[in-house]
Amino acid sequence: MERLLRAHLFPLISEPMGEESVSTTMPVLHSKTRANLYGIVFALCNDIGDYHRLLKLVRSLLPQGEGPQAWSWGIAQTAEDYSYDTNWSFERSNTIRSPMGYPGLRNLTNTCYMNSLLTQLFMNVRFRGFMLDADIVDSRHTQRLLAETRTLFGYMQGTALKAVDTQGIADSLINYENTLIDVSVQMDVDEFYNLLFDRWESQILSDAGKRTFRAFYGGQLVQQIKSKECPHISEREEPFSAIQCDIQGKTNLAESLSAYVGGEIMEGDNKYSCTSCGTYVDAVKRACLKDIPDNLIFHLKRFDYDVMTGIRHKINDRFEFPERIDMAPYSIEYLRDTEQSLAPDEFELVGVLVHAGTAESGHYYSFIRERPTKPEQGASWVEFNDAEVTPFNFSQIPDLCFGGVTEPTGYTASTYSKTWNAYMLFYQRVRASDVDMLQNSPLALGAPIQKSLSPELSDRITIDNERFLRKICLYDSTHTRFAVSLLDRLRSISNSCCSDDHAIERDAVLFALEYADHVLSRMKDFTEFEKLLDALIVVLRGCSVCCKLALEWVVDNRNAFRNLLLRCPTTRVRRSFSDMLIRALLYLRESDAQEYGFDVDSLELKSGDGVLPETPCGILQRLVCNMRELWPLLHLHSRAWDDYFGLLGTIAAFGVPEIFVLLREEFLKMCLETLIIEAPGTKKLRMDNPHYAQLVRLLEKGRRYSLMNLVELLQTLLLQLDLGARSFDPTYLDRPQLDAGKFALSSTEEMYLYYGTDSGRTRPLIFLDKIITANSNPVAVKKILQAMVSAEPRAAHLTDISKTILNGINIDPAEQAEPHLVAALTFCETTTSAASAKDMISQIAREVDTIGTSGGPAHLEFFLQVRQLADPRLPQRLFNKMVIRTVPQWGPPLLMYYEESVRVQTVEFLKELIFQHRIPTADDGDEDGILEERARALCEACIKRVQENAMQPQSRVDVKSMELIVDVIRHCVKTYFRAGTAEDDRVSEEAEAVNEAISVLQVEEAEEANSGNCSGLIVLEKLN
């Protein structure tokens, strides 16, 4: 069983062998074959002993500790000095080297220029071999860049990962200002090329090595001035590393090179002073190539600077270049005697470095030909675009590299400039390619030529590959299913009985949790995570020892606890982990109170007694302490707030003992701090707690945090407190327990709970306004508000609470007032102060006049609900009377509200309240008088509303919205007003004027509707 697993599924990781390079054993990577092998392993596991050995063996495969996580992003980490966060949505296919056989390079931020050039140089096999064989004696200081390059090229040649990290290069390359290059700033790749080669050369020790290095891409040109009037020629040799090619006004490379060697005529005022003749003569100044290296780089000068405007711009003109070019016509030998016959000096295109974008911003990537390749295979091209490596079709070179303008298509006749075009061309002498063919046996396509590495570097790469392949196998779907099946099998193979020493169960529980943390929680597919935890819960069920083992692992592995509760981006993973913790805690609480954390025989029998004696280092206390340690990190994990506070809230719901532990660990104080931290006056709190300052900054940037379970936790804690009792000073006293098992607030908690008030004036309570406005947990908010109002008048904050609610109702747009209207309803049904209830209803009634076109349904619902309230502690039918009394304030605005449903509901409500006399409203025998007085006041308020809103010049009126309010006016005039008195006659006349005006508008609207021009709105110019 072990031999099978080690030989084919998870070979042992090699150890360095000193002078000899290690050899690796490849695991079986085919998933179906691996599934069959796992089936054989299970078949060989016949008894509990075999099962335990297999369990320990499989557990030993898991990585120990967090370690660098670069591999999870598919990055080969060339230096261990850099840390990487875990890739939480891990997919195996995104981490493995491209099928082309080459890894890409990690873009550090804006280092595409570096990556595009390094891949071109790496694919030059002879240059790669030279860099890998470089003599390095001081890899940490004077030759660090050279050493990092050797490591980089070694990993590019041998890694199994998708990309190689270039951080080491960036951290060892000093620019001309004597500082490290800034990876966040884009750099011109030609400038980078010159800088890089200059720094490389400076770190090569021997003169011979420097000469060899320069010869790869460097040559000699001759700056020549040839007289046209005498035989004298002036020549000056200069080194070059790339040929600068003008493209403006040129159509192809041959034309640009001809201009390069053709030079300029020196005549007229610009005549050349011939020192040999001692006179000024007409001459030709030109550059000639003398020593041409095997590898030529042409820099196409696509960027130009306008001296007049001070603007740098890019030249996107079409510029063609051939697959092969003869450089003999541009050599000094040919130019000295153009009549002579020289042998061709042919170069073939092996690489194109492309720039896409503008002069101000853009992106570099490379097309590179694999070499050497067998003639029968033909040329194979690869695209290197940072970490992505894909095959490239050479026939697309004209479209993707020449530049120019796009061709018209069947969809559009317009054209535009191609901002993607060649910036550097890489050519190699054909004879040199033939030599490469002889010196390096070409491998199959998709397998890079292997140059020799030092044993140390070779072993390092090999071992890194083995570790990576092991992790890849751990993430294989067949292994995740095997792991779940392995845990499922425990109960059947042990006959559902735990062993006496719990050795097997211990390994099973720890394996499940470690595998969940290291593997399953980081996978994009979370199905197996849920299955594994379901299987673990089966193991934990019925055994307090197993529960304790699981919970101890959680409290001892704090980083894993943070990973699974906060950092994991998958909600269902976090929820499943929390559910497992809750189940384990509950069972341990029921079966072993002392291990759980309380020094009693049975927690269930004692939970109603409040504070209990605690055992040192109980599981509950340790878990709660761990959660408190996570508090300063919460602002970083906005998506996990419901999981974090949900776990705390569930623990609090266990009972009073747990609530006391949470209060002692200051969770109530910290929750209140979080809710008030944005308020003015909390600067010191933010300064003393940097995580709160960071939270505020994130909130200001638009980060959103769910408060649903935070409010639920607050509700559970606050309901166990007597908010009206005298607070205590936590500096000197422990929290006292009061009657009925309740506790007192600390002075700090009281300050935060009622933050926003002072002794001088009434102000909104920040905490209460926050939870009402968030509206994330209305049920919990209602209970909190009820608790705060019920604590009055002892707490002496009733006016502050009322002010907080009313401030939230007085808001624009009024539809946002709905949560505060619900809070107002709760306030009215809870308060014992009739004056406060009356004031609340009166102010809301007055507020309806300002709501405009939003908030109508919520305001109407408030009056519908509040009139049904009844409290024996308050005067009889108080709320119904207040709704009737305030009808003139809230009735007219709702009767003219733009939504027809609101207008109709308001009329029905008025019928029930006043017009139909269905519900008694007074006990004093004067019921009809009260109703008639309110109906008359309503009528006058409605007339005034129509006059102000619909009968003024230039008023825009929706006639349909006026119909019901006019009906109410008519009904009131007919029913509650009598002719013969001056006051009643005045109201009747005003009502008649309103009726006449609305009738005129209805006629005009009908006429416009017939003409087809009606918009539903009538503009009143003049009403007589």
Side-chain angles (χ1 to χ4, degrees), residues 620-636:
L620 172 67
Q621 289 81 355
R622 291 163 62 192
L623 180 64
V624 170
C625 287
N626 280 8
M627 296 197 72
R628 178 170 180 172
E629 289 178 3
L630 292 177
W631 192 271
L633 305 173
L634 278 181
H635 65 281
L636 302 174

Side-chain angles (χ1 to χ4, degrees), residues 491-548:
R491 283 306 178 196
S492 61
I493 205 166
S494 63
N495 297 318
S496 298
C497 296
C498 291
S499 59
D500 294 337
D501 60 358
H502 276 80
I504 298 176
E505 289 76 16
R506 177 183 180 277
D507 282 329
V509 169
L510 298 187
F511 163 70
L513 291 169
E514 289 167 357
Y515 191 65
D517 175 36
H518 287 292
V519 179
L520 293 180
S521 65
R522 301 161 198 257
M523 295 178 68
K524 196 167 186 178
D525 182 5
F526 49 81
T527 307
E528 296 301 326
F529 181 92
E530 294 177 321
K531 291 180 179 178
L532 183 75
L533 285 200
D534 288 343
L536 176 60
I537 289 172
V538 172
V539 174
L540 302 182
R541 188 184 303 149
C543 180
S544 61
V545 177
C546 291
C547 290
K548 182 187 175 186

Side-chain angles (χ1 to χ4, degrees), residues 970 990-1002 1023-1024:
R970 289 170 179 163
E990 290 179 355
E992 185 61 31
V994 167
N995 288 333
E996 182 180 346
I998 299 304
S999 297
V1000 170
L1001 291 177
Q1002 288 173 334
L1023 282 174
N1024 295 321

Side-chain angles (χ1 to χ4, degrees), residues 67-78:
Q69 295 296 315
W71 70 271
S72 66
W73 298 93
I75 298 172
Q77 194 170 353
T78 59

Side-chain angles (χ1 to χ4, degrees), residues 211-265:
R211 287 193 296 271
T212 303
F213 174 77
R214 286 194 295 266
F216 277 106
Y217 290 95
Q220 292 286 328
L221 59 81
V222 175
Q223 292 289 355
Q224 187 183 79
I225 301 178
K226 183 178 181 181
S227 172
K228 298 175 70 175
E229 300 177 12
C230 63
H232 301 126
I233 299 176
S234 171
E235 293 184 339
R236 176 170 51 86
E237 293 188 3
E238 292 181 1
F240 72 89
S241 55
I243 297 176
Q244 307 296 315
C245 296
D246 289 320
I247 65 169
Q248 195 159 25
K250 310 293 188 298
T251 60
N252 55 49
L253 182 61
E255 189 176 333
S256 181
L257 287 174
S258 296
Y260 184 78
V261 299
E264 60 175 316
I265 304 297

Side-chain angles (χ1 to χ4, degrees), residues 635 677-680 682-683 686 691-705 770:
H635 65 281
I677 197 62
E678 294 177 89
T682 57
K683 182 178 180 180
R686 295 196 293 269
H691 57 281
Y692 285 145
Q694 295 174 30
L695 173 62
V696 171
R697 284 195 291 271
L698 291 172
L699 288 168
E700 290 172 348
K701 291 180 178 179
R703 182 78 64 89
R704 294 290 178 262
Y705 297 84
K770 179 81 171 182

